[in-house]
Short mmCIF file of all heavy atoms in Angstrom, two decimals:
data_model
loop_
_atom_site.label_atom_id
_atom_site.label_comp_id
_atom_site.label_asym_id
_atom_site.label_seq_id
_atom_site.Cartn_x
_atom_site.Cartn_y
_atom_site.Cartn_z
N GLU A 973 -272.39 91.22 -29.55
CA GLU A 973 -272.45 90.89 -28.14
C GLU A 973 -272.38 92.18 -27.33
O GLU A 973 -271.46 92.97 -27.50
CB GLU A 973 -271.27 89.96 -27.77
CG GLU A 973 -271.34 89.45 -26.35
CD GLU A 973 -270.23 88.45 -26.07
OE1 GLU A 973 -270.07 87.50 -26.88
OE2 GLU A 973 -269.54 88.62 -25.06
N ASN A 974 -273.37 92.39 -26.48
CA ASN A 974 -273.44 93.61 -25.67
C ASN A 974 -273.33 94.87 -26.52
O ASN A 974 -272.66 95.82 -26.17
CB ASN A 974 -272.35 93.61 -24.59
CG ASN A 974 -272.49 92.47 -23.62
OD1 ASN A 974 -273.60 92.03 -23.29
ND2 ASN A 974 -271.37 91.95 -23.15
N GLY A 975 -273.99 94.84 -27.69
CA GLY A 975 -274.00 96.00 -28.57
C GLY A 975 -272.74 96.17 -29.40
O GLY A 975 -272.62 97.12 -30.16
N GLN A 976 -271.77 95.29 -29.23
CA GLN A 976 -270.50 95.38 -29.96
C GLN A 976 -270.47 94.33 -31.07
O GLN A 976 -270.90 93.19 -30.88
CB GLN A 976 -269.32 95.12 -29.01
CG GLN A 976 -269.23 96.08 -27.85
CD GLN A 976 -268.78 97.46 -28.28
OE1 GLN A 976 -267.92 97.59 -29.14
NE2 GLN A 976 -269.38 98.49 -27.72
N ILE A 977 -269.94 94.70 -32.22
CA ILE A 977 -269.76 93.75 -33.31
C ILE A 977 -268.59 92.84 -32.95
O ILE A 977 -267.54 93.30 -32.51
CB ILE A 977 -269.48 94.48 -34.64
CG1 ILE A 977 -270.73 95.26 -35.06
CG2 ILE A 977 -269.06 93.49 -35.73
CD1 ILE A 977 -270.53 96.11 -36.29
N THR A 978 -268.80 91.54 -33.14
CA THR A 978 -267.75 90.57 -32.87
C THR A 978 -267.36 89.87 -34.17
O THR A 978 -268.17 89.75 -35.08
CB THR A 978 -268.21 89.52 -31.84
OG1 THR A 978 -269.34 88.82 -32.37
CG2 THR A 978 -268.56 90.17 -30.52
N TYR A 979 -266.14 89.42 -34.20
CA TYR A 979 -265.64 88.71 -35.37
C TYR A 979 -264.62 87.67 -34.90
O TYR A 979 -263.79 87.95 -34.03
CB TYR A 979 -264.95 89.68 -36.34
CG TYR A 979 -264.21 88.97 -37.45
CD1 TYR A 979 -264.88 88.49 -38.57
CD2 TYR A 979 -262.84 88.75 -37.37
CE1 TYR A 979 -264.21 87.82 -39.58
CE2 TYR A 979 -262.16 88.09 -38.38
CZ TYR A 979 -262.85 87.62 -39.48
OH TYR A 979 -262.19 86.95 -40.47
N SER A 980 -264.72 86.49 -35.44
CA SER A 980 -263.70 85.47 -35.19
C SER A 980 -263.55 84.64 -36.46
O SER A 980 -264.44 84.60 -37.31
CB SER A 980 -264.09 84.59 -34.00
OG SER A 980 -265.27 83.86 -34.29
N SER A 981 -262.42 83.99 -36.56
CA SER A 981 -262.19 83.14 -37.72
C SER A 981 -261.31 81.97 -37.33
O SER A 981 -260.52 82.05 -36.37
CB SER A 981 -261.53 83.92 -38.87
OG SER A 981 -260.21 84.29 -38.51
N LYS A 982 -261.48 80.89 -38.06
CA LYS A 982 -260.63 79.70 -37.92
C LYS A 982 -260.28 79.25 -39.31
O LYS A 982 -261.10 79.32 -40.23
CB LYS A 982 -261.38 78.57 -37.21
CG LYS A 982 -261.65 78.81 -35.75
CD LYS A 982 -262.30 77.60 -35.11
CE LYS A 982 -262.60 77.89 -33.66
NZ LYS A 982 -263.17 76.73 -32.98
N ASP A 983 -259.05 78.81 -39.48
CA ASP A 983 -258.68 78.26 -40.78
C ASP A 983 -257.80 77.04 -40.60
O ASP A 983 -257.23 76.82 -39.53
CB ASP A 983 -258.01 79.31 -41.67
CG ASP A 983 -256.65 79.77 -41.16
OD1 ASP A 983 -256.13 79.21 -40.18
OD2 ASP A 983 -256.09 80.69 -41.76
N ASN A 984 -257.73 76.24 -41.65
CA ASN A 984 -256.82 75.11 -41.66
C ASN A 984 -256.38 74.84 -43.08
O ASN A 984 -257.03 75.25 -44.04
CB ASN A 984 -257.42 73.87 -40.99
CG ASN A 984 -258.70 73.42 -41.64
OD1 ASN A 984 -258.74 73.12 -42.83
ND2 ASN A 984 -259.77 73.36 -40.87
N TYR A 985 -255.27 74.16 -43.21
CA TYR A 985 -254.72 73.85 -44.52
C TYR A 985 -254.08 72.47 -44.50
O TYR A 985 -253.70 71.96 -43.44
CB TYR A 985 -253.68 74.89 -44.95
CG TYR A 985 -252.38 74.74 -44.19
CD1 TYR A 985 -251.36 73.91 -44.67
CD2 TYR A 985 -252.18 75.39 -42.99
CE1 TYR A 985 -250.18 73.75 -43.96
CE2 TYR A 985 -251.01 75.24 -42.28
CZ TYR A 985 -250.01 74.41 -42.77
OH TYR A 985 -248.85 74.23 -42.06
N VAL A 986 -253.97 71.88 -45.67
CA VAL A 986 -253.21 70.66 -45.88
C VAL A 986 -252.38 70.88 -47.14
O VAL A 986 -252.93 71.22 -48.19
CB VAL A 986 -254.12 69.42 -46.06
CG1 VAL A 986 -253.28 68.19 -46.38
CG2 VAL A 986 -254.99 69.19 -44.83
N LEU A 987 -251.08 70.72 -47.03
CA LEU A 987 -250.19 70.78 -48.17
C LEU A 987 -249.76 69.36 -48.49
O LEU A 987 -249.16 68.68 -47.65
CB LEU A 987 -248.96 71.64 -47.89
CG LEU A 987 -247.87 71.64 -48.98
CD1 LEU A 987 -248.40 72.26 -50.28
CD2 LEU A 987 -246.64 72.39 -48.51
N THR A 988 -250.11 68.90 -49.69
CA THR A 988 -249.73 67.56 -50.13
C THR A 988 -248.73 67.70 -51.27
O THR A 988 -249.01 68.35 -52.27
CB THR A 988 -250.97 66.77 -50.62
OG1 THR A 988 -251.94 66.75 -49.57
CG2 THR A 988 -250.60 65.36 -51.00
N LEU A 989 -247.60 67.09 -51.08
CA LEU A 989 -246.50 67.13 -52.04
C LEU A 989 -246.31 65.73 -52.59
O LEU A 989 -246.25 64.76 -51.83
CB LEU A 989 -245.24 67.61 -51.31
CG LEU A 989 -243.99 67.87 -52.09
CD1 LEU A 989 -244.20 69.05 -53.04
CD2 LEU A 989 -242.85 68.18 -51.13
N LYS A 990 -246.23 65.60 -53.91
CA LYS A 990 -246.11 64.28 -54.52
C LYS A 990 -244.97 64.26 -55.53
O LYS A 990 -244.88 65.14 -56.40
CB LYS A 990 -247.41 63.90 -55.22
CG LYS A 990 -247.41 62.49 -55.77
CD LYS A 990 -248.75 62.14 -56.37
CE LYS A 990 -248.71 60.72 -56.94
NZ LYS A 990 -249.96 60.39 -57.63
N TYR A 991 -244.11 63.26 -55.39
CA TYR A 991 -243.02 63.08 -56.34
C TYR A 991 -243.58 62.51 -57.63
O TYR A 991 -244.36 61.56 -57.62
CB TYR A 991 -241.95 62.14 -55.75
CG TYR A 991 -240.72 62.02 -56.60
CD1 TYR A 991 -239.85 63.09 -56.75
CD2 TYR A 991 -240.44 60.84 -57.28
CE1 TYR A 991 -238.72 62.99 -57.55
CE2 TYR A 991 -239.30 60.73 -58.08
CZ TYR A 991 -238.45 61.82 -58.20
OH TYR A 991 -237.33 61.72 -59.00
N LYS A 992 -243.20 63.08 -58.77
CA LYS A 992 -243.78 62.69 -60.06
C LYS A 992 -243.11 61.45 -60.67
O LYS A 992 -243.71 60.77 -61.51
CB LYS A 992 -243.70 63.86 -61.04
CG LYS A 992 -244.61 65.01 -60.64
CD LYS A 992 -244.31 66.32 -61.34
CE LYS A 992 -244.50 66.31 -62.82
NZ LYS A 992 -244.33 67.66 -63.42
N GLY A 993 -241.90 61.15 -60.24
CA GLY A 993 -241.19 59.99 -60.79
C GLY A 993 -241.52 58.71 -60.04
O GLY A 993 -242.42 58.65 -59.20
N ALA A 994 -240.74 57.68 -60.33
CA ALA A 994 -240.92 56.37 -59.69
C ALA A 994 -240.39 56.41 -58.26
O ALA A 994 -239.43 57.12 -57.95
CB ALA A 994 -240.19 55.30 -60.49
N LEU A 995 -241.02 55.66 -57.38
CA LEU A 995 -240.60 55.59 -55.97
C LEU A 995 -239.14 55.18 -55.85
O LEU A 995 -238.42 55.69 -54.98
CB LEU A 995 -241.51 54.62 -55.21
CG LEU A 995 -241.22 54.43 -53.72
CD1 LEU A 995 -241.34 55.76 -52.97
CD2 LEU A 995 -242.16 53.39 -53.13
N GLU A 996 -238.68 54.31 -56.72
CA GLU A 996 -237.29 53.83 -56.68
C GLU A 996 -236.30 54.98 -56.84
O GLU A 996 -235.17 54.90 -56.36
CB GLU A 996 -237.05 52.78 -57.79
CG GLU A 996 -237.85 51.51 -57.62
CD GLU A 996 -239.32 51.65 -58.03
OE1 GLU A 996 -239.64 52.39 -58.99
OE2 GLU A 996 -240.16 51.03 -57.35
N GLU A 997 -236.71 56.05 -57.51
CA GLU A 997 -235.82 57.20 -57.70
C GLU A 997 -235.54 57.92 -56.39
O GLU A 997 -234.58 58.68 -56.29
CB GLU A 997 -236.43 58.17 -58.72
CG GLU A 997 -236.53 57.61 -60.11
CD GLU A 997 -237.26 58.53 -61.07
OE1 GLU A 997 -237.39 59.75 -60.79
OE2 GLU A 997 -237.70 58.04 -62.13
N LEU A 998 -236.35 57.69 -55.37
CA LEU A 998 -236.15 58.31 -54.06
C LEU A 998 -235.37 57.40 -53.11
O LEU A 998 -235.18 57.74 -51.95
CB LEU A 998 -237.51 58.66 -53.43
CG LEU A 998 -238.35 59.69 -54.18
CD1 LEU A 998 -239.69 59.88 -53.46
CD2 LEU A 998 -237.62 61.01 -54.31
N SER A 999 -234.92 56.25 -53.58
CA SER A 999 -234.30 55.25 -52.71
C SER A 999 -233.02 55.76 -52.04
O SER A 999 -232.69 55.32 -50.94
CB SER A 999 -234.02 53.96 -53.46
OG SER A 999 -233.10 54.20 -54.50
N SER A 1000 -232.32 56.69 -52.65
CA SER A 1000 -231.09 57.22 -52.04
C SER A 1000 -231.35 58.48 -51.20
O SER A 1000 -230.42 59.02 -50.60
CB SER A 1000 -230.05 57.52 -53.13
OG SER A 1000 -230.54 58.56 -53.97
N MET A 1001 -232.60 58.92 -51.15
CA MET A 1001 -232.93 60.14 -50.40
C MET A 1001 -232.82 59.88 -48.89
O MET A 1001 -233.43 58.95 -48.36
CB MET A 1001 -234.36 60.60 -50.74
CG MET A 1001 -234.75 61.88 -50.03
SD MET A 1001 -236.35 62.54 -50.58
CE MET A 1001 -237.50 61.41 -49.79
N LYS A 1002 -232.03 60.69 -48.22
CA LYS A 1002 -231.86 60.58 -46.77
C LYS A 1002 -232.63 61.67 -46.02
O LYS A 1002 -232.93 61.54 -44.85
CB LYS A 1002 -230.37 60.67 -46.39
CG LYS A 1002 -229.53 59.58 -46.97
CD LYS A 1002 -229.92 58.25 -46.40
CE LYS A 1002 -229.05 57.14 -46.96
NZ LYS A 1002 -229.60 55.83 -46.70
N LYS A 1003 -232.93 62.76 -46.74
CA LYS A 1003 -233.63 63.89 -46.11
C LYS A 1003 -234.49 64.58 -47.15
O LYS A 1003 -234.08 64.74 -48.30
CB LYS A 1003 -232.62 64.87 -45.54
CG LYS A 1003 -233.27 66.07 -44.84
CD LYS A 1003 -232.25 67.10 -44.42
CE LYS A 1003 -231.74 66.75 -43.04
NZ LYS A 1003 -230.91 67.83 -42.47
N LEU A 1004 -235.68 64.98 -46.73
CA LEU A 1004 -236.58 65.77 -47.56
C LEU A 1004 -236.94 67.02 -46.78
O LEU A 1004 -237.37 66.93 -45.63
CB LEU A 1004 -237.85 64.98 -47.90
CG LEU A 1004 -238.96 65.76 -48.63
CD1 LEU A 1004 -238.49 66.16 -50.03
CD2 LEU A 1004 -240.23 64.93 -48.71
N GLU A 1005 -236.72 68.17 -47.39
CA GLU A 1005 -237.10 69.45 -46.78
C GLU A 1005 -238.03 70.17 -47.75
O GLU A 1005 -237.72 70.28 -48.93
CB GLU A 1005 -235.87 70.32 -46.56
CG GLU A 1005 -234.85 69.75 -45.61
CD GLU A 1005 -233.64 70.66 -45.51
OE1 GLU A 1005 -233.79 71.81 -45.05
OE2 GLU A 1005 -232.55 70.21 -45.90
N TYR A 1006 -239.16 70.62 -47.24
CA TYR A 1006 -240.05 71.40 -48.10
C TYR A 1006 -240.68 72.51 -47.29
O TYR A 1006 -240.85 72.41 -46.08
CB TYR A 1006 -241.08 70.55 -48.82
CG TYR A 1006 -241.95 69.65 -47.97
CD1 TYR A 1006 -243.25 70.02 -47.66
CD2 TYR A 1006 -241.49 68.42 -47.52
CE1 TYR A 1006 -244.06 69.18 -46.90
CE2 TYR A 1006 -242.29 67.59 -46.77
CZ TYR A 1006 -243.58 67.97 -46.46
OH TYR A 1006 -244.38 67.14 -45.71
N SER A 1007 -240.99 73.60 -48.00
CA SER A 1007 -241.55 74.77 -47.33
C SER A 1007 -242.57 75.42 -48.25
O SER A 1007 -242.59 75.18 -49.45
CB SER A 1007 -240.45 75.77 -46.98
OG SER A 1007 -239.81 76.22 -48.15
N TYR A 1008 -243.43 76.23 -47.65
CA TYR A 1008 -244.42 77.01 -48.41
C TYR A 1008 -244.47 78.40 -47.82
O TYR A 1008 -244.10 78.62 -46.67
CB TYR A 1008 -245.81 76.35 -48.36
CG TYR A 1008 -246.46 76.50 -47.01
CD1 TYR A 1008 -247.28 77.60 -46.74
CD2 TYR A 1008 -246.22 75.60 -45.99
CE1 TYR A 1008 -247.86 77.77 -45.50
CE2 TYR A 1008 -246.79 75.76 -44.75
CZ TYR A 1008 -247.61 76.84 -44.50
OH TYR A 1008 -248.18 77.03 -43.27
N GLU A 1009 -244.95 79.34 -48.63
CA GLU A 1009 -245.09 80.71 -48.16
C GLU A 1009 -246.30 81.36 -48.81
O GLU A 1009 -246.43 81.38 -50.03
CB GLU A 1009 -243.83 81.51 -48.50
CG GLU A 1009 -243.86 82.92 -47.98
CD GLU A 1009 -242.57 83.67 -48.32
OE1 GLU A 1009 -241.54 83.04 -48.58
OE2 GLU A 1009 -242.64 84.91 -48.32
N THR A 1010 -247.22 81.85 -47.98
CA THR A 1010 -248.35 82.65 -48.44
C THR A 1010 -248.11 84.07 -47.94
O THR A 1010 -247.15 84.32 -47.21
CB THR A 1010 -249.69 82.12 -47.87
OG1 THR A 1010 -249.76 82.44 -46.46
CG2 THR A 1010 -249.84 80.62 -48.06
N THR A 1011 -248.99 84.99 -48.29
CA THR A 1011 -248.83 86.34 -47.74
C THR A 1011 -249.18 86.37 -46.26
O THR A 1011 -248.74 87.25 -45.53
CB THR A 1011 -249.72 87.36 -48.49
OG1 THR A 1011 -251.07 86.92 -48.41
CG2 THR A 1011 -249.30 87.51 -49.93
N ALA A 1012 -249.96 85.38 -45.80
CA ALA A 1012 -250.41 85.35 -44.41
C ALA A 1012 -249.53 84.50 -43.51
O ALA A 1012 -249.45 84.74 -42.31
CB ALA A 1012 -251.85 84.83 -44.35
N SER A 1013 -248.89 83.47 -44.07
CA SER A 1013 -248.12 82.56 -43.23
C SER A 1013 -247.09 81.80 -44.05
O SER A 1013 -247.03 81.90 -45.27
CB SER A 1013 -249.06 81.56 -42.55
OG SER A 1013 -249.66 80.73 -43.53
N SER A 1014 -246.30 81.03 -43.34
CA SER A 1014 -245.32 80.17 -43.99
C SER A 1014 -245.07 78.98 -43.08
O SER A 1014 -245.42 78.99 -41.90
CB SER A 1014 -244.02 80.92 -44.26
OG SER A 1014 -243.43 81.32 -43.04
N GLY A 1015 -244.48 77.96 -43.64
CA GLY A 1015 -244.17 76.78 -42.84
C GLY A 1015 -243.16 75.93 -43.57
O GLY A 1015 -242.91 76.10 -44.76
N ASN A 1016 -242.55 75.02 -42.82
CA ASN A 1016 -241.61 74.10 -43.42
C ASN A 1016 -241.62 72.78 -42.67
O ASN A 1016 -242.08 72.71 -41.54
CB ASN A 1016 -240.21 74.70 -43.47
CG ASN A 1016 -239.69 75.03 -42.10
OD1 ASN A 1016 -239.64 74.19 -41.21
ND2 ASN A 1016 -239.29 76.28 -41.89
N LYS A 1017 -241.12 71.77 -43.34
CA LYS A 1017 -241.06 70.45 -42.73
C LYS A 1017 -239.81 69.75 -43.22
O LYS A 1017 -239.45 69.86 -44.39
CB LYS A 1017 -242.30 69.64 -43.07
CG LYS A 1017 -242.40 68.33 -42.32
CD LYS A 1017 -243.76 67.69 -42.50
CE LYS A 1017 -243.87 66.45 -41.63
NZ LYS A 1017 -245.19 65.81 -41.78
N THR A 1018 -239.15 69.03 -42.32
CA THR A 1018 -237.98 68.24 -42.65
C THR A 1018 -238.25 66.81 -42.21
O THR A 1018 -238.68 66.58 -41.08
CB THR A 1018 -236.72 68.79 -41.94
OG1 THR A 1018 -236.52 70.14 -42.35
CG2 THR A 1018 -235.50 67.96 -42.28
N GLU A 1019 -238.01 65.88 -43.12
CA GLU A 1019 -238.19 64.46 -42.81
C GLU A 1019 -236.89 63.74 -43.10
O GLU A 1019 -236.30 63.91 -44.17
CB GLU A 1019 -239.33 63.88 -43.65
CG GLU A 1019 -240.67 64.52 -43.37
CD GLU A 1019 -241.81 63.94 -44.21
OE1 GLU A 1019 -241.65 62.86 -44.80
OE2 GLU A 1019 -242.86 64.58 -44.27
N ASP A 1020 -236.42 62.95 -42.13
CA ASP A 1020 -235.21 62.16 -42.31
C ASP A 1020 -235.59 60.73 -42.66
O ASP A 1020 -236.57 60.19 -42.13
CB ASP A 1020 -234.37 62.19 -41.03
CG ASP A 1020 -233.80 63.57 -40.76
OD1 ASP A 1020 -233.23 64.17 -41.69
OD2 ASP A 1020 -233.94 64.06 -39.62
#
């Protein structure tokens, strides 16, 4: 643009976490906390 090199980027992600056991094993769970970390970003989520 106007003789200048331009660069832009967009990204998105979906982190899907799945419990390997039976659903009944989670019946006493009151809170779930999970997080991830890449070299570029990190995030966390808490579910009550």
